[in-house]
Amino acid sequence: MNVRILRQLTPTSPTRWEGFNVDVTDDMSIAGLLDHINYNDDIFDDQGNLTTRIGWECSCLQGACGACAMVVNDQPVLACETFVRDLKGSTIEIRPLRKFPVVHDLIVDRSSIHENLTSANVCIESYDPNETGSQAKLVKRQRHQYEIAKCLKCGLCLEVCPNYTNGLTFFGALFANDCYLVAMRNKSKAAEIKALYGEHFGRDCSKALSCMDVCPAQISTISSMAHLNR
Amino acid sequence: MDKVVVIGSGIAGCACAVRLAEAGIHVQLVSPYPSERSQSVMAAGGINAVLSDCEEGDSIACHVQDTLRGGHNLAGTQAVRTLCERAPEVIAYLERIGTVFSLEADGSLARRAFGGQTHRRTYYCGSSTGKQIVSALVMEVRRFETQGLIRRRLWSSFHSALIRDGRCFGAILYDEKSGNLMAEHADALVMATGGQNALFGKTTGSTQCDGYAAGKLFAQGVDLKNLEFVQYHPTTLETSQKRMLISEAVRGEGGRLFYLEHGERIYFMEEKYGDGGNLMPRDVVSQEMAATGRETYLDASFLGKDLIDKRLPEVRDICSKYRGIDVAAEPIPVAPSVHFFMGGIAVDNNHETNIQNLFAAGECASMYHGANRLGGNSLLAAICGGWVVADTIADRSRAGASPDFAALLREENQKLARMRDTSSVFPVMYIRDLLAKTMAECLGIVRNDSSLADGISDVDYYLSIAEKISYDPSAMMYANYSLVGILTLAKATLACARQRRESRGAHVRSDYPASQDSLCHASIVSYENGRYRVWLDKDKRYER
């Protein structure tokens, strides 16, 4: 199968598409496919030219860390849990996330995610389970909070979001969900965090909700919004 | 002390950084990637503690005993006692900072059984306990970032420590963005870099944890300890790129191990050890599985879909996604795989190395687990260790002015420049693959003298060509310069394994199958003018 990858050696280098002919299997993940290309001592493109190894980021290789977020056939995905069997068409096209500056090939700098959360000081600080009220309520709310704390900060929700551009004012779904977690776990901060949520999410979200379609942790952002928009 | 550099932003690094910041100390938290990419997020099962609502008959003394016995009496008694005594404080802290623990119907913290323990004392967050703790700790780090006490340095990697006359004055860091080395002077340096997965290639852990820091520090004069004790987790699932961990929680919930003989299931652990057989310590289960010489399976289907969905959703998802296995309907094919390193940087009870003001915590340090770690004790040790480091530093006065390291920095920058110009037929990743093959062959579940000697000679060869690698400009610079440190650690590990002529815990020698009382001491390896000297810590230098 022909695999096309958008290459960029350094943050300031020009970009170029490079093709590779790869023997793929249905059960191969995109992460496996990239490893497969990189494994050879010498790497040749589909024109027979010697080229360099493809830069990409990985850590857990099981969908738990978000390192390998990239765009495959126009879909923002995690490379380690996207399989050839799930892709349509006769070619595979891979490029880095567009909403972040490229460091090298498929590796992007997602520092802005953390800078935004820090600038808004999104933190629980102090949680008292007895504050929540009845035990039944506590257990019921636990599920969504657990889901949110599984957010990988991978940036897929920002990549797909029609409202997120450069993160200067609108911080996206991952911010909204962390705001929910803080509001639910520290009542004394609820008003302050709701105001920040409004300023950096609620005001500009057009409710396309495409963020929920691509979230590897399957976080129900709409549930967070339903509470914080009240 | 006023300024500390912490290398690594997983649970141990973050716990230490936050505690230091709480004491008003400025911290540089160094890691090329954010905490969400750390191996800590992969810790699934839980965290051990004996709280006031403990199971009848349980006590902190029982937790201490289980940990020491599970570690085959090689862990420091005082350190383990401190670990277990502080466990309730750790749980209370994690709850206070907002960790989303699993709850019982009455709202109390839920707990489950874990291997090698006499009582159910493992508190958990579904099957993503590490991730939930990381999320809470990241928020705490953020709180101190906004106060200017913690500064995260992404895209920076550890290169070496600034050491002069037995004292540490900070670290040399490599900045991937600028492509330069820089000296970061500090009153203390804390290593929290995780285990050494890269030695083995395919493990259950993160590809980012490579052991480079321990190998580099060793060559700088830092002692390492108990490297031969490598934990093989009994239940992992083979996939094309890695071994996926099937959490001990599956057996904690009742999962059963078996193999097939003439189409009939043989529940070999239960047959040999009785009802609790499936939850024997990990070293025992792995060795029994290897001894069957057959394909082994873990059955959880009888637990039912509802319980699996509720308590083991991550296990369910991994099996389905990567192997198309429905855990609620069929058994999981499992085999042991490298999972955790009990050995690492040698530290005393304050988590300080033999170099003053150089500390280590978390999996990169060897302290609490002896010859085998109990499930649920690593998260506890990561947090507790981070705290011990921070409290020691907070009590210590400033180190004084740093010597001038400008010449060293210049020299190291020149070495990197030379590396960029090297050329040979060997790319870094090729040598890393060879190393992984060597280590898997020589440091499997069962070892012997001749294969260990072969392994040392293989690694000597890799070291001889490592300075002349084919520099790969398309890989991060770190991947290029880290090779020698990784190989150094591999050789030290093989040397320790060869020297320990007995079987104990995770170290099984076919040529020395019995334990020897006279060898019930930690092994220490020291670097002395290029020589790797392995010695037993008989006077308990590292238990003070």
Side-chain angles (χ1 to χ4, degrees):
Chain A
M1 183 177 271
N2 192 256
V3 179
R4 298 179 72 234
I5 299 174
L6 190 61
R7 309 290 307 266
Q8 185 175 346
L9 188 60
T10 69
T12 52
S13 308
T15 58
R16 65 190 161 88
W17 285 98
E18 196 163 62
F20 298 87
N21 290 322
V22 189
D23 291 330
V24 298
T25 59
D26 273 2
D27 287 338
M28 192 181 256
S29 68
I30 296 302
L33 186 153
L34 291 167
D35 260 359
H36 183 73
I37 296 174
N38 279 346
Y39 187 73
N40 299 296
D41 290 348
D42 294 318
I43 298 162
F44 296 95
D45 67 14
D46 57 4
Q47 306 300 308
N49 301 313
L50 189 64
T51 187
T52 53
R53 281 185 175 68
I54 299 150
W56 67 289
E57 193 184 332
C58 69
S59 176
C60 76
L61 289 170
Q62 59 184 76
C65 80
C68 63
M70 56 187 71
V71 180
V72 177
N73 288 359
D74 287 328
Q75 291 296 313
V77 295
L78 297 184
C80 68
E81 52 177 24
T82 302
F83 297 88
V84 170
R85 61 176 180 257
D86 301 325
L87 302 175
K88 294 190 176 80
S90 57
T91 61
I92 298 173
E93 200 173 273
I94 307 172
R95 60 176 170 76
L97 300 178
R98 285 175 302 191
K99 304 272 176 90
F100 306 93
V102 171
V103 175
H104 168 52
D105 286 346
L106 302 171
I107 302 171
V108 294
D109 182 359
R110 287 170 276 188
S111 304
S112 57
I113 292 174
H114 302 275
E115 286 160 7
N116 286 341
L117 288 162
T118 304
S119 72
N121 194 16
V122 180
C123 61
I124 294 167
E125 201 168 337
S126 183
Y127 167 64
D128 179 2
N130 300 319
E131 245 185 9
T132 311
S134 77
Q135 296 304 337
K137 213 176 189 180
L138 181 70
V139 174
K140 191 178 156 205
R141 287 178 173 171
Q142 192 80 349
R143 179 99 213 132
H144 186 48
Q145 292 172 23
Y146 177 80
E147 272 181 18
I148 289 174
K150 282 178 75 178
C151 171
L152 308 179
K153 306 293 184 287
C154 62
L156 292 185
C157 59
L158 307 182
E159 177 71 12
V160 78
C161 175
N163 308 112
Y164 184 91
T165 50
N166 50 17
L168 289 181
T169 52
F170 181 77
F171 294 171
L174 57 86
F175 173 79
N177 287 317
D178 269 16
C179 285
Y180 172 86
L181 196 58
V182 172
M184 296 306 293
R185 299 225 134 199
N186 188 342
K187 290 276 181 278
S188 68
K189 295 184 84 171
E192 175 199 347
I193 205 76
K194 276 187 184 183
L196 284 164
Y197 162 86
E199 185 183 344
H200 296 296
F201 183 84
R203 195 179 60 188
D204 295 317
C205 171
S206 60
K207 300 183 180 56
L209 298 178
S210 45
C211 49
M212 287 174 47
D213 297 334
V214 299
C215 177
Q218 298 174 314
I219 298 169
S220 173
T221 302
I222 198 168
S223 301
S224 306
M225 291 165 64
H227 178 86
L228 293 169
N229 283 342
R230 268 179 218 153
Chain B
M1 288 188 169
D2 180 52
K3 183 185 167 188
V4 175
V5 170
V6 178
I7 311 286
S9 67
I11 286 177
C14 284
C16 179
V18 168
R19 188 97 170 174
L20 285 165
E22 283 172 344
I25 294 168
H26 291 84
V27 181
Q28 301 253 349
L29 189 54
V30 179
S31 169
Y33 304 109
S35 302
E36 285 82 2
R37 316 282 180 261
S38 67
Q39 182 172 297
S40 299
V41 303
M42 299 165 71
I47 179 165
N48 296 333
V50 179
L51 306 188
S52 55
D53 67 341
C54 64
E55 203 172 74
E56 198 179 336
D58 199 6
S59 66
I60 288 171
C62 287
H63 187 186
V64 172
Q65 278 311 310
D66 288 350
T67 302
L68 290 172
R69 192 175 50 243
H72 297 260
N73 303 312
L74 217 58
T77 309
Q78 185 51 50
V80 169
R81 197 173 291 140
T82 303
L83 178 80
C84 301
E85 283 171 355
R86 294 193 81 169
E89 189 190 345
V90 168
I91 300 289
Y93 168 79
L94 291 175
E95 199 180 14
R96 182 176 65 72
I97 65 171
T99 308
V100 185
F101 278 102
S102 291
L103 302 176
E104 300 291 1
D106 66 358
S108 62
L109 299 185
R111 60 172 187 261
R112 58 168 51 125
F114 249 41
Q117 305 200 60
T118 48
H119 294 85
R120 282 167 69 245
R121 63 168 80 97
T122 307
Y123 294 87
Y124 63 95
C125 314
S127 39
S128 67
T129 309
K131 172 63 185 171
Q132 298 288 327
I133 292 174
V134 167
S135 293
L137 272 172
V138 163
M139 284 201 181
E140 276 298 278
V141 170
R142 186 175 296 145
R143 187 158 74 88
F144 288 105
E145 281 181 273
T146 59
Q147 293 175 25
L149 281 162
I150 297 179
R151 184 185 157 217
R152 273 188 187 268
R153 290 182 61 149
L154 296 174
W155 300 106
S156 287
S157 301
F158 173 75
H159 176 274
S160 51
L162 294 171
I163 297 173
R164 184 78 47 90
D165 300 329
R167 285 173 70 181
C168 181
F169 296 90
I172 295 180
L173 306 177
Y174 180 77
D175 180 59
E176 291 283 357
K177 279 185 170 170
S178 70
N180 288 316
L181 292 174
M182 54 190 72
E184 193 61 53
H185 298 273
D187 297 320
L189 174 63
V190 182
M191 307 306 296
T193 48
Q196 43 260 34
N197 301 330
L199 266 52
F200 289 86
K202 230 172 166 184
T203 71
T204 60
S206 162
T207 57
Q208 305 289 344
C209 295
D210 58 19
Y212 163 71
K216 178 68 187 178
L217 290 171
F218 174 64
Q220 290 191 280
V222 175
D223 286 348
L224 304 180
K225 177 181 162 192
N226 283 346
L227 296 176
E228 64 273 35
F229 298 106
V230 178
Q231 180 167 79
Y232 280 76
H233 194 290
T235 56
T236 73
L237 179 69
E238 173 77 18
T239 70
S240 61
Q241 281 183 298
K242 70 174 295 187
R243 305 280 325 185
M244 298 282 180
L245 176 70
I246 303 301
S247 170
E248 194 162 300
V250 178
R251 284 172 290 136
E253 298 294 348
R256 304 173 74 189
L257 286 161
F258 71 90
Y259 64 79
L260 288 172
E261 191 169 74
H262 309 305
E264 203 174 306
R265 291 185 176 192
I266 308 294
Y267 294 98
F268 57 98
M269 291 305 295
E270 293 164 45
E271 282 190 2
K272 185 159 181 181
Y273 297 98
D275 286 347
N278 295 297
L279 274 176
M280 291 296 284
R282 291 174 180 174
D283 55 340
V284 176
V285 182
S286 289
Q287 286 154 28
E288 293 291 349
M289 286 170 75
T292 68
R294 301 162 195 255
E295 295 264 317
T296 47
Y297 299 87
L298 176 61
D299 187 16
S301 59
F302 61 89
L303 296 173
K305 188 173 178 309
D306 286 351
L307 189 142
I308 289 168
D309 286 346
K310 190 175 165 210
R311 297 203 191 153
L312 305 165
E314 285 80 9
V315 172
R316 173 201 64 197
D317 291 348
I318 283 172
C319 290
S320 147
K321 199 182 297 171
Y322 292 95
R323 288 287 301 273
I325 294 166
D326 178 0
V327 179
E330 57 193 316
I332 312 165
V334 288
S337 169
V338 172
H339 175 61
F340 187 88
F341 299 87
M342 277 70 76
I345 298 168
V347 290
D348 62 18
N349 286 349
N350 289 326
H351 278 260
E352 190 167 20
T353 68
N354 56 319
I355 303 293
Q356 195 184 341
N357 297 334
L358 173 54
F359 299 81
E363 192 175 350
C364 72
S366 182
M367 168 63 87
Y368 303 102
H369 311 303
N372 171 59
R373 176 178 68 82
L374 295 185
N377 269 353
S378 64
L379 291 174
L380 177 61
I383 295 163
C384 192
W387 285 1
V388 170
V389 171
D391 293 348
T392 305
I393 290 172
D395 283 345
R396 198 168 278 185
S397 55
R398 287 196 66 177
S402 173
D404 184 5
F405 288 98
L408 174 70
L409 192 62
R410 212 164 31 243
E411 190 187 321
E412 293 294 348
N413 262 317
Q414 284 164 357
K415 274 192 204 163
L416 281 197
R418 281 200 297 278
M419 181 177 280
R420 288 190 180 99
D421 292 333
T422 56
S423 63
S424 84
V425 293
F426 300 113
V428 169
M429 296 318 287
Y430 177 75
I431 301 176
R432 290 257 302 251
D433 286 340
L434 287 177
L435 173 68
K437 195 161 170 280
T438 294
M439 296 299 273
E441 279 167 9
C442 306
L443 269 177
I445 293 176
V446 182
R447 301 101 185 244
N448 65 62
D449 188 73
S450 117
S451 74
L452 290 166
D454 289 348
I456 290 171
S457 122
D458 283 357
V459 176
D460 273 334
Y461 170 65
Y462 307 147
L463 275 165
S464 74
I465 56 173
E467 298 282 5
K468 295 169 283 192
I469 53 164
S470 163
Y471 172 71
D472 187 347
S474 62
M476 295 291 195
M477 184 65 198
Y478 174 82
N480 289 286
Y481 78 70
S482 59
L483 180 65
V484 174
I486 291 169
L487 293 171
T488 304
L489 180 63
K491 185 176 169 184
T493 305
L494 290 162
C496 287
R498 192 171 183 211
Q499 188 76 16
R500 184 172 287 283
R501 295 186 182 92
E502 65 160 352
S503 292
R504 180 180 299 276
H507 178 67
V508 180
R509 292 277 299 252
S510 57
D511 44 356
Y512 297 97
S515 295
Q516 305 287 335
D517 287 347
S518 61
L519 301 179
C520 189
H521 304 283
S523 38
I524 308 292
V525 57
S526 305
Y527 188 80
E528 293 172 354
N529 300 319
R531 203 168 67 86
Y532 295 50
R533 184 170 73 88
V534 183
W535 49 283
L536 289 178
D537 189 15
K538 289 183 180 171
D539 64 354
K540 301 194 184 300
R541 154 80 181 78
Y542 285 103
E543 288 181 29
R544 294 173 194 150

